[in-house]
Amino acid sequence: MKYIYKEIIKANDHVLRGVLNAPDDFDEGKKYPVLIFFHGLLDDRNGINYMSIQESKYLTRGES
């Protein structure tokens, strides 16, 4: 799984940061389904036992 770090700076100087978890064969020229996963307040993106990372790995495997 690839981790692509993104940052968007809005006109009001608010900064949005995130990580795009993509399959190993990710191609920027192709379209993919997207799931936006918010980790929650007062926590980090790793969560308890890296749950969001494990979920991302499962969702990017490409299996039906």
Side-chain angles (χ1 to χ4, degrees):
M1 181 169 58
K2 290 184 182 181
Y3 299 95
I4 303 168
Y5 295 90
K6 294 288 186 178
E7 180 175 285
I8 300 170
I9 301 174
K10 303 296 287 180
N12 58 6
D13 290 331
H14 285 127
V15 179
L16 302 173
R17 291 185 184 98
V19 179
L20 171 64
N21 297 324
D24 289 327
D25 61 350
F26 179 72
D27 178 356
E28 288 191 30
K30 292 174 61 178
K31 291 186 177 187
Y32 295 88
V34 173
L35 172 72
I36 298 174
F37 185 81
F38 293 95
H39 60 73
L41 289 171
L42 305 174
D43 195 0
D44 63 23
R45 71 177 174 267
N46 297 322
I48 299 170
N49 299 320
Y50 302 96
M51 185 171 66
S52 63
I53 293 173
Q54 296 304 316
E55 290 172 345
S56 295
K57 286 180 180 179
Y58 173 78
L59 292 168
T60 58
R61 282 197 316 220
E63 298 174 7
S64 298

